[in-house]
Amino acid sequence: MAFDAGHTADTIREAWQKASSFLRERGTSEPERSAELLLQHALGIGKSEFLLRLNDPFPPEKRESYSALIERRAQGEPVQYITGEQEFYALPFRVTSDVLIPRPETELLVEQIIAAGRKLWPDGNPLVADIGCGSGAIAVAIAVQCPKWRVTATDISLGALEVAKGNAALNGAGERVAFYHGDLLEAYIRNRIAIDILVSNPPYVESGEIPHLMPEVRLHEPALALDGGTDGLDFYRRILRQTEQLVRPPALIGFELGFGQAERVAEMVRSCGFWNEIRIVEDYAGIKRHVIGLQKI
C-alpha cells in the first residue's frame, strides 16, 4: 500500500503521525525521527519552526512530494541520502551514495585529533592527512576548527572526492583543504609529502559480515567504504605498512575501528615502533572505537 500524506484538512502534526505509523508498519528503523526529518525537508524548515507549526494545516501542494519521500524511506533508503544532507561536528555536509553517511562517533575521533594536535603543535601548522576521506567530514571539520593547520585528504573514489570538495567549499574551507586522488598513502609517498597527523576511518567490516548488515547500509552505502577484508583489518595493515615509505612517520596517528577490533589495531600501531603512546578511546556507547598513537617530537 502506497503512502498518502493526506488531504488539505490535515495538520502538519497529523501528516507526521500518519507517516510515522506507516514507516513503523513497514519495519523502518526510527520511524518518528525519519518522518520528522523528511517532513522538515519537504517543508523547507528547521526543527524549531517545525515544532512551532505542528498545528498548522499541512500544505496541500506538499502532499505528493512528502508522500514520495516517505515511500523511499519505507523501501529502506537512508534519510540522509533522500535529503542529501547530514550534520557533522555542527557543520552541514552533502552526502550521496558515493560516500558513507558521517556518524556521530567519528566526531569523537576529530575531537581527539584536534586535542592531541594542539598539544603537540601549540603554535604550529602541522600537515594533516585524512586517508579515505569519503564525504570529507573529518578533513573539513579539522580545517574549520584549526584554520592554521594544513589539511589534505585522499580517496580512491573520484565520486567521493567530488562530494568532499563540495563540502569543503560549502563550509568555507575550499581553499584550505588539498585533495588527492589515489589509494591510501600513494599520493603522499609519490610526491614526498611529509605528514604530521594521519587520521583515517577506513573500511573495517569483515567481508563475511557484509551480507548481514542492515539493509539500509548494505543496499545503499558504498561497499568500497565498508569491506575491510576477511578480518576487517586489511586497511589498517596497508596504511601502517605504507607509513614506512613516507618521508617520516607522522607524529600523531588516529584510526576509527569496528566493535572488537581495538586491541588488535592498537597492537598493530604499537608494533610499528613509531609511536611512544598508544591510546584506546571509547565512544559514547562505551565501545572501544578509536586508536590514537603519539610520538614525542
Side-chain angles (χ1 to χ4, degrees):
M1 181 181 65
F3 176 71
D4 186 341
H7 54 76
T8 56
D10 286 332
T11 64
I12 289 175
R13 185 193 304 275
E14 289 168 339
W16 173 33
Q17 291 172 338
K18 285 184 178 180
S20 299
S21 296
F22 178 79
L23 292 176
R24 191 180 304 108
E25 291 169 1
R26 296 287 290 269
T28 305
S29 63
E30 298 186 316
E32 291 82 7
R33 178 66 171 158
S34 295
E36 176 187 337
L37 290 173
L38 293 176
L39 186 48
Q40 290 175 26
H41 180 71
L43 297 176
I45 59 177
K47 175 76 171 182
S48 297
E49 187 175 354
F50 172 76
L51 294 174
L52 289 172
R53 293 181 54 188
L54 280 174
N55 293 321
D56 289 357
F58 178 75
E61 67 274 14
K62 298 294 184 179
R63 172 179 176 179
E64 185 174 340
S65 60
Y66 184 48
S67 297
L69 296 177
I70 293 298
E71 279 289 344
R72 290 172 63 182
R73 181 70 187 107
Q75 293 170 19
E77 188 173 356
V79 169
Q80 294 89 342
Y81 289 152
I82 299 173
T83 64
E85 57 192 22
Q86 169 67 15
E87 185 179 277
F88 180 85
Y89 222 81
L91 298 170
F93 282 84
R94 304 298 185 199
V95 293
T96 73
S97 57
D98 285 309
V99 300
L100 287 182
I101 298 165
R103 264 72 169 183
E105 53 265 30
T106 309
E107 295 180 345
L108 182 57
L109 177 60
V110 172
E111 289 177 5
Q112 292 287 319
I113 291 296
I114 290 175
R118 284 174 172 166
K119 287 183 178 179
L120 289 172
W121 297 275
D123 300 308
N125 59 338
L127 188 138
V128 181
D130 177 10
I131 307 303
C133 66
S135 67
I138 293 174
V140 173
I142 291 174
V144 170
Q145 294 296 317
C146 305
K148 292 183 179 180
W149 292 12
R150 296 165 293 152
V151 181
T152 66
T154 184
D155 206 289
I156 198 170
S157 165
L158 286 171
L161 282 177
E162 287 304 307
V163 174
K165 289 176 183 178
N167 282 324
L170 176 65
N171 287 287
E175 301 300 317
R176 294 191 292 106
V177 182
F179 292 95
Y180 301 102
H181 177 237
D183 185 27
L184 303 179
L185 301 180
E186 283 183 352
Y188 301 90
I189 296 168
R190 182 175 62 251
N191 296 304
R192 303 288 294 170
I193 299 171
I195 297 172
D196 297 304
I197 300 173
L198 188 158
V199 59
S200 184
N201 179 15
Y204 56 68
V205 179
E206 296 178 10
S207 299
E209 290 300 313
I210 298 291
H212 306 294
L213 293 174
M214 292 178 61
E216 59 189 60
V217 175
R218 173 171 47 84
L219 300 177
H220 295 279
E221 300 204 55
L224 185 66
L226 294 170
D227 194 337
T230 303
D231 64 356
L233 304 179
D234 281 1
F235 286 89
Y236 304 101
R237 295 188 185 94
R238 292 182 56 205
I239 291 171
L240 290 170
R241 281 198 299 266
Q242 286 184 339
T243 60
E244 300 175 2
Q245 303 173 55
L246 294 169
V247 175
R248 63 173 186 271
L252 172 60
I253 188 169
F255 288 122
E256 183 162 318
L257 32 100
F259 179 80
Q261 296 176 335
E263 280 74 15
R264 286 178 291 170
V265 174
E267 183 54 37
M268 288 181 194
V269 174
R270 185 177 294 108
S271 65
C272 290
F274 297 143
W275 298 281
N276 310 102
E277 181 181 349
I278 312 297
R279 301 175 186 166
I280 294 176
V281 181
E282 295 183 354
D283 64 16
Y284 306 113
I287 296 172
K288 295 177 179 178
R289 182 64 68 182
H290 306 109
V291 169
I292 308 294
L294 305 94
Q295 62 177 231
K296 296 177 182 179
I297 59 173

